Each structure stands twice: as structure tokens, then as C-alpha cells.
Amino acid sequence: MEEKKLRELLQSMTVREKIGQLIQLSGDFFGASDLATGPQEKLGIEPWAVQNAGSALNVLGADKVREIQKRHMENSRIPLLFMADIVYGYKTVYPMPLGLACSWDTELVKSCSRRTAREAAPDGAHVTFAPMVDVVRDARWGRCMESPGEDPWLNGVFARAMVEGFQGEMVPGENLASCVKHFAGYGAVEAGREYNTVDMSRWRFVQEYLPPYKAAVDAGCEMVMTSFNTVEGIPATANRWLMEEVLRRQWGFDGVLITDYAAIQELIAHGVAEDDYEAAKLAMNATVDIDMKTPCYANQLEPLLNDGSLDVKKLDEAVWRVLALKNRLGLFEDPYRGIDAEKAECLACNEENRSAARTAVQKCMVLLRNENQVLPLKSGQKIALMGPYADSKDLNGMWAVHGDRDAVVTLKTAFAEVLSEDTFATTAGCEMLDDYESLGDFGSYFKLGPTLENSAEEELEKSIALAKWADVVVFAVGEHMLQSGESGSRTDLTLPAVQRAWMERVLVHAKKSVVLLFNGRPLVLADWKNSVDAILECWFPGTEGAHGIADLLWGRCNPCARLTAGFPFASGQVPVYYGAFRTGRPADASSHSGRFVSRYLDCPNEPLYPFGYGLSYHTAEYSDLKLSDTVMRRGETLTVGAAVKNTGDVSGQEVVQLYLHDVAASVVRPAKELKGFQKIDLEPGEKKEVIFEITEEMLKFYDSDLQFAAQPGMFEVFVGRNAADCLVAAFRYETGR
Ligand code: GLC
């Protein structure tokens, strides 16, 4: 529709039609026969609010969406928007985002988002609540799994890739409008506890937590979602500095701002609003457009208008942003645009998507340990596969809410395709958890457990017998899928106790051992990792996880993934991250005696596995770090090069990383900051020189006045295979004549 016509539509709308556009309701409101006595009464809104609602939450299915849209259009001039959590897959599920990021492959990440959009759009989706790009440095927080990881710059790189993947050219039926979340800083919840307070200096917030969201906005993300947490004492959903000043004025975002689930009404619980009226006013003043699933906008915007607390101009601005998005999606010309049940059916987990998912798995699983070259497995070896994930379809992770669980390949199936009957045996081994109660009440939504058919003793006995029989025992262990994701915070980051105890009893009989780890966050492995030969971090790998893992185990491909979040040595060590400040008493370089430096008595400062870490079946040598100059003057660039040689006997890839350290500035600066990376292919024996350009932009940071600029002085430059293993050189940046 032409903008002029859209303006005319806006002007012609009644107040209730306008308010309706700012209301998002869940599926039970649409098409429910018991509307009046059911969800509508429970939420406490009037029928007009349902009839005029602007968007639906997590309602999908081509026929269902078409039917709901048809019924909606009988009472409204304005089509519904259908929005859903389609974060790392739709029916076909790719590795969870923390895993996808470990590919360090922006094209791969982009293609997974593009495929996801192509699979979901014909099934009625218009908008996805993704990418989630929260910087996460505290593995206690369950939503680590949804994030690309701990680094602000890298999270921004993947934010752009995912927005471009989902949105493409915004072709209805092919692409999805994306909604970057959770704005902002949700990953910094105190103590890693879900929905907890976030509070830090504005200086740090701007420097380390905002960049990934800005990358998404700069990539053209259509929507932004407010986060549950406070920012400088004001919940994000009511935070005018964050929303009006930063997001809209400074960043120029004029798209739709939606709240997270029930966040407007939660302003009351936060203690910044006395009631729904106050909450609605605060959210409108923060330019929040859509109220997800609370009665605040539905019931309070009219009173706010009537008593003069809300200017109709502000209402019209919010409504305009929603109408403009619907118009960009072509919904006024065709409310059913893009819906195609047959196409959706054909695309759902089709061979092409499965093959792409399998390739993604091959590139995202991180080889953490491989002693005595136990991996890759050799043909003819007798393999015993055991553990709670040996025959489980729960490989999609908590946030693959629309994933086709039945389509998930199990490890047992994938192994049986590689091995013969006389070289393969498997058993469940042990329960996933001792206590399923702690997972909370999901009713019949998930079958939580216990799941063992035999008694624990019988399973242990069988496990030991198989371990004695096998050449290699493959343990498929990890967190329950509901121990991560939303409301999945944990204070103890070790493997569930029942699994550790069982594994310990079986390991003594294993000739060789491989652990396949399924988890939604960095875990603490220190207590047992030296007792096993190999560990492959599998995350929640999705529909084709088992096939991709088997490809890696039997050497059909060479692991090349590298961590984008470090693994802590101990639960008490978090938050632990490579980009920390050095402090006045750095443990590795202080004039103070051994005791009086920044350290623990009972744990190293460093993580068990650092950011950027990962092994491959080849080995590599980094050498000959060279700088083009030892002085960089204002307006100039430097280049830094290093030689990387494949010293192994199989071809493989190296993720060569570039870090900088600003040695002295007007504010403290991280010991290292990732500034670039190159993923290179190397044949056995092949040596390549990898060149990076160092620009002035890379040197810039926010000073204590929040001025973004580079300051003269010494810089260290690091090139290496991970944050803890780099070659180093130095240069001086000069701004004088
Ligand atoms: C949830 C999550 C958010 C999700 C939204 C809609 O509470 O915090 O990530 O997009 O609600 O389901």
C-alpha cells in the first residue's frame, strides 16, 4: 500500500482499532470457542481488544494461520501479524546458537537462518523472535545456549549474519522479519539467576553489552524486543534512556519495539509502577509499541488518552510503526501472502534441509580432548554406546519449540548405520537426573522422567559388561534439555551427579573412552575430564545431530569448531571470560609476592578451556608474527601477519584469531579483545601466511565520558589459535604530527 494510503488508514482508525494494533495475544485467544470464559477473562480484557489485536504469539501452521486470519478479517480491516520463537530452526532444527557460533562461519550461520525462514514462512510465520545476541559470561544462566557467546564483537558478527539470513529481501513466504533480543544486557543477570537484576556502569554497558544489538539494528533488523531486566535501576521496558535515547535517537531505529512476555505488567513487580495504568504509561513513554500478553495496553491506553496523560500523537507513532511493518510484509494487499500448506509440508525436514543441518553439526561440535588419538574411531573396532543420550530424541534443546522431535535422528540409529551388529552394542546406562522435580512443572508438555526401563543396578551391570566387551566406550551424557534455556539457571555446573557416579563405575572397565557431551552451557568438567580419552562437545545439535557427530567420530570430517564461550574450571569461578581487565595485581605479572595478587586459593584464574579453543585431527604450528610497522599514525593502518602450518597428516581448517590489548588508556582496557578472525583450509604440510589489517577503528573505545575514540599509546597485538595461545607483538599508536 502506498504510504499516503497507509497514513489515511491510520487517520481513519478508531482509538480501539489503534490500541488493538499494540496488543499481542497467544494462540488460545484465536479461534478458541471458550473465549469469553477462558483466556480473555483470565487476562481481563474486553472482546474488542481480541477482535482488534494486532498480532499473534507462537501460532503457526499454514491451515491454522489461514483460518485465524480469515476469521480475524471478518471483524477487522487490519491483518494479524504472526510472530514466533523460531530461533535456530523450525521443523528442521540446527545446532543451538552457542554451538552454531563455534563454527566461526558467518555464511553457515546465515544459511541456517535463511533455511529456517524458508521452512517457517509458508507455514504462516511473519516474524521470528531472533536473533538472541545477549553477551553471556556467566554459565550459571540457562540462556547461554541461545547466545553466540561471551564476546561483544563476535556476537555482533553473528547478529548481522542471522538478521541477513532471516530477512533476506523480505520476500513473503521466503523470509522472516527478525526481532533482535533481549534489549538490553539480559545476559548479565546477577549470579546467573534467571530474570535477576542487571546493574553495571553505563560505561561498561555501552562498551561490552550494547554492540551486538546495534549490529543487528545496523543490519536492518525489523524489530527489537525489550528485556526483562533493569538497566541502571529502571526495567528496560520502561527505560527511556535505553529505548528513546539510545535505540531510537542515537541508533536511528524506527521499527517496532515489542516487550518480552508480560514485561509491561511486570513493571509492577519490579516496583516502578503501582498498577497497570502506571505500567502502560511508562512503557508508552519509553516508545514500546507492542504489549506482549498483558492487559495493560488493552485496558489502560484509553484512560491514559482520556485523562490527557497520553498524547494521541504518541499512540499514532506506535501504531504507525506496526502498520508500516505489516505493509512491508505485503499483508494489506494479501493477508494470506506467503502461506502455502503444500510448500510447508514439502520443506519440513526435507532432505536438503537435513543435509544442511548435518553439515552444520559437523562444523559446530568442539573437540575438547583427544588423548592417544582415540579419535577418529577405526573401522572394525567394537563400540559400546551408553548413557542417557544414547537413544534420545531430545537433541533439539529447550528453545526449538516448533522443532519436529520425531524427525530427530538418535545416536543409536546413526551408530547402527556405521557399525555391524557384532561391533555395536548400546544401553541407557543411567538416569538423566536424580531429581526431575527441580525442572519445574511442564505438565504433559514434556515427558520429564525417570525414563530407565531396568533398575539402576541392572543398567550398571549391563554397562560394565559392555565396557569389558568393547574396544571403545562412547558415553552420551549431559544436562537434561530443560536444565538450560529460559528459567534454566544452575549454581552447580557439573554433570548431573547420577551420571558422574555411573560413568566413574564404568570407566575402570573401559579400554578407551569417548564422551559425547550434550549441554546448553559451558560445564565444569575438571573433576573427570582426565579420566577419559576424548571429549566432543555436542551442545544440543538438533535434527541431524547424531549423523553429524558420527561423521566426526569416524573421521568422515575433521572437527574445526572453536569455543565462543570459555569453559570454567569451577562453578565458583564464573563469570570467567577472556576479555577481563588486568587489575592492579595481575596474577601473571605483579611485583607482589605469590599470595598477594589477584587469584583464588583453590582454583586457577583461567578457564579450563579458553575462548577460541578447540582441537582437530590435524595439528598446526603458528609462527613468524610480523608487523608492517611498529608505529601507527593517525589515519594509517598496519598489517600483521603470521604463518600457519598444518603439521598433521589430514587436511583441516584453522580459525586464526586476531586480538588487541590497549596497554594504557584513560580507562582500563581488556587484556585482550577479539578484533578479527580468518578460517583457513590447510592440506597436510601446507603453510599459509595469514594477514590482518589493523585499523584505527579497531583501537577505539568508550572513555569515561562515553566518547568513542582511539587514544595514543602502546598496543599489543596477538594472533593465535585461541585467547590463551597466541603470538604477540607490539606497536605504538601516535596521534601527533
Ligand atoms: C520468553 C522469552 C523470549 C521469547 C518470548 C516469547 O519469555 O524471554 O525470548 O521470545 O517469551 O515466547
Side-chain angles (χ1 to χ4, degrees):
M1 186 190 290
E2 284 169 34
E3 181 166 329
K4 181 172 173 297
K5 285 241 177 287
L6 200 61
R7 288 278 176 211
E8 288 164 6
L9 171 63
L10 175 58
Q11 295 319 323
S12 72
M13 286 164 72
T14 65
V15 165
R16 287 188 164 184
E17 280 186 305
K18 291 179 181 178
I19 293 171
Q21 290 307 302
L22 311 187
I23 299 168
Q24 180 169 98
L25 299 174
S26 47
D28 49 336
F29 281 83
F30 299 100
S33 52
D34 63 342
L35 198 55
T37 57
Q40 177 189 300
E41 184 193 16
K42 191 164 165 245
L43 193 63
I45 59 175
E46 304 294 322
W48 69 262
V50 182
Q51 283 159 14
N52 287 288
S55 57
L57 168 62
N58 278 323
V59 180
L60 290 176
D63 296 337
K64 185 175 183 183
V65 167
R66 183 181 293 282
E67 177 53 30
I68 289 172
Q69 188 73 289
K70 181 170 170 293
R71 196 173 309 128
H72 174 79
M73 295 305 285
E74 286 162 7
N75 298 306
S76 170
R77 300 184 280 170
I78 302 162
L80 276 169
L81 261 183
F82 287 81
M83 306 191 190
D85 294 287
I86 306 170
V87 185
Y88 51 99
Y90 180 50
K91 300 297 182 189
T92 307
V93 179
Y94 300 90
M96 65 184 219
L98 186 60
L100 272 177
C102 290
S103 67
W104 292 65
D105 184 337
T106 49
E107 280 312 307
L108 173 79
V109 170
K110 187 172 174 179
S111 71
C112 290
S113 301
R114 181 169 54 242
R115 286 184 173 282
T116 296
R118 288 192 61 224
E119 203 180 38
D123 226 15
H126 297 131
V127 177
T128 177
F129 293 133
M132 187 277 215
V133 296
D134 304 340
V135 171
V136 191
R137 293 167 163 177
D138 189 327
R140 290 172 292 185
W141 193 47
R143 303 193 76 163
C144 290
M145 54 115 31
E146 298 172 64
S147 162
E150 70 177 67
D151 183 78
W153 178 80
L154 192 61
N155 280 22
V157 167
F158 288 119
R160 168 176 291 280
M162 289 185 269
V163 168
E164 290 173 355
F166 285 125
Q167 296 192 170
E169 301 304 319
M170 285 287 276
V171 175
E174 286 285 318
N175 301 126
L176 295 175
S178 56
C179 176
V180 65
K181 66 186 184 183
H182 303 82
F183 192 66
Y186 185 13
V189 285
E190 278 181 6
R193 197 181 83 218
E194 185 57 287
Y195 312 125
N196 204 3
T197 300
V198 168
D199 197 52
M200 66 183 81
S201 65
R202 183 172 290 192
W203 162 74
R204 185 161 210 187
F205 193 73
V206 166
Q207 177 71 38
E208 298 186 359
Y209 286 86
L210 287 184
Y213 308 105
K214 185 165 189 310
V217 168
D218 290 348
C221 195
E222 287 284 351
M223 286 182 59
V224 175
M225 181 186 288
T226 70
S227 57
F228 289 118
N229 55 278
T230 52
V231 174
E232 299 175 350
I234 301 173
T237 301
N239 195 305
R240 296 186 66 170
W241 169 74
L242 185 60
M243 300 304 171
E244 216 175 16
E245 171 54 22
V246 173
L247 178 65
R248 297 221 188 262
R249 197 189 67 75
Q250 289 181 16
W251 296 1
F253 178 72
D254 61 357
V256 174
L257 180 59
I258 188 170
T259 72
D260 202 338
Y261 193 95
I264 293 185
Q265 200 163 49
E266 290 177 8
L267 296 176
I268 300 168
H270 269 293
V272 294
E274 283 192 355
D275 52 27
D276 288 0
Y277 171 92
E278 192 65 35
K281 185 163 75 171
L282 289 172
M284 278 304 283
N285 287 341
T287 75
V288 168
D289 299 318
I290 297 180
D291 174 359
M292 185 190 288
K293 196 67 191 301
T294 91
C296 296
Y297 275 13
N299 295 344
Q300 305 303 331
L301 292 190
E302 256 181 320
L304 283 163
L305 283 170
N306 296 340
D307 70 18
S309 302
L310 171 64
D311 184 327
V312 69
K313 185 172 171 298
K314 203 161 192 60
L315 174 68
D316 284 354
E317 286 166 1
V319 176
W320 172 255
R321 290 188 284 260
V322 176
L323 295 180
L325 175 56
K326 293 184 177 185
N327 199 36
R328 283 195 292 280
L329 289 166
L331 293 179
F332 288 104
E333 286 74 21
D334 176 4
Y336 312 99
R337 194 163 179 184
I339 301 176
D340 183 334
E342 195 180 326
K343 183 177 172 187
E345 181 67 29
C346 290
L347 285 167
C349 297
N350 70 358
E351 273 322 300
E352 193 190 320
N353 285 335
R354 278 182 175 277
S355 168
R358 183 168 182 164
T359 302
V361 172
Q362 293 164 356
K363 296 182 173 203
C364 298
M365 308 295 103
V366 186
L367 185 57
L368 299 177
R369 181 181 172 85
N370 190 20
E371 297 299 299
N372 318 314
Q373 302 311 307
V374 164
L375 294 178
L377 299 173
K378 310 327 177 254
S379 65
Q381 284 178 312
K382 289 182 289 183
I383 306 297
L385 168 67
M386 54 180 79
Y389 277 105
D391 189 21
S392 169
K393 282 184 172 285
D394 285 329
L395 303 183
N396 286 340
M398 189 253 186
W399 262 114
V401 290
H402 302 287
D404 182 346
R405 184 177 179 278
D406 294 337
V408 172
V409 177
T410 67
L411 285 170
K412 180 179 176 182
T413 301
F415 277 46
E417 289 169 1
V418 177
L419 298 163
S420 60
E421 275 185 16
D422 56 358
T423 60
F424 176 43
T426 180
T427 188
C430 69
E431 273 298 342
M432 181 77 78
L433 298 178
D434 284 312
D435 149 35
Y436 292 88
E437 299 304 310
S438 66
L439 295 175
D441 174 20
F442 275 81
S444 59
Y445 195 51
F446 286 111
K447 181 179 178 311
L448 295 182
T451 55
L452 276 189
E453 284 153 22
N454 306 322
S455 73
E457 294 69 25
E458 286 164 337
E459 275 298 338
L460 175 61
E461 205 174 304
K462 188 175 175 189
S463 306
I464 290 173
L466 288 186
K468 290 176 177 174
W469 163 82
D471 298 317
V472 183
V473 178
V474 177
F475 294 95
V477 294
E479 292 183 304
H480 189 286
M481 62 169 261
L482 295 178
Q483 284 186 294
S484 59
E486 186 169 357
S487 302
S489 292
R490 296 178 65 201
T491 58
D492 173 357
L493 301 178
T494 58
L495 264 186
V498 61
Q499 294 180 47
R500 286 205 322 275
W502 163 78
M503 201 160 77
E504 195 175 335
R505 296 284 300 278
V506 178
L507 266 173
V508 294
H509 304 282
K511 304 175 190 64
K512 292 183 177 178
S513 54
V514 175
V515 169
L516 303 180
L517 210 45
F518 297 89
N519 43 297
R521 56 160 52 82
L523 286 182
V524 169
L525 315 178
D527 51 330
W528 54 264
K529 67 114 178 158
N530 291 331
S531 314
V532 301
D533 293 307
I535 303 171
L536 184 67
E537 173 53 69
C538 301
W539 310 115
F540 285 107
T543 309
E544 283 291 322
H547 276 147
I549 289 164
D551 294 337
L552 290 163
L553 291 179
W554 274 278
R556 286 196 288 269
C557 43
N558 180 1
C560 59
R562 303 291 185 257
L563 294 177
T564 58
F567 273 47
F569 207 91
S571 303
Q573 193 186 32
V574 295
V576 58
Y577 50 97
Y578 85 89
F581 303 123
R582 288 182 55 74
T583 77
R585 298 194 176 196
D588 61 356
S590 167
S591 57
H592 294 275
S593 73
R595 179 182 177 89
F596 300 96
V597 294
S598 180
R599 71 186 186 100
Y600 300 100
L601 295 177
D602 58 355
C603 176
N605 288 358
E606 297 71 29
L608 175 65
Y609 297 120
F611 176 87
Y613 173 86
L615 301 177
S616 297
Y617 293 150
H618 69 278
T619 49
E621 185 183 80
Y622 287 62
S623 61
D624 305 330
L625 186 67
K626 286 196 190 73
L627 272 171
S628 56
D629 199 331
T630 55
V631 175
M632 181 204 267
R633 293 170 191 80
R634 188 199 295 275
E636 291 180 349
T637 60
L638 285 187
T639 59
V640 60
V644 183
K645 181 178 181 183
N646 179 343
T647 48
D649 50 16
V650 291
S651 59
Q653 292 185 310
E654 282 295 304
V655 179
V656 186
Q657 299 150 41
L658 168 70
Y659 300 87
L660 288 182
H661 171 220
D662 188 343
V663 175
S666 59
V667 290
V668 292
R669 306 284 294 118
K672 283 194 183 80
E673 284 180 293
L674 181 72
K675 293 293 182 182
F677 66 90
Q678 292 183 36
K679 200 166 178 180
I680 60 171
D681 296 305
L682 290 170
E683 292 305 318
E686 185 179 9
K687 184 175 191 177
K688 280 183 182 173
E689 189 178 23
V690 180
I691 306 279
F692 291 100
E693 189 177 56
I694 300 172
T695 64
E696 248 177 337
E697 194 61 22
M698 289 181 180
L699 313 186
K700 292 179 180 176
F701 62 94
Y702 289 95
D703 66 15
S704 52
D705 299 324
L706 298 187
Q707 297 306 306
F708 188 64
Q711 293 178 4
M714 286 307 293
F715 284 80
E716 290 177 312
V717 53
F718 304 87
V719 175
R721 69 187 84 219
N722 63 61
D725 184 352
C726 292
L727 302 169
V728 58
F731 67 91
R732 172 172 293 281
Y733 172 62
E734 294 180 353
T735 55
R737 283 282 142 252

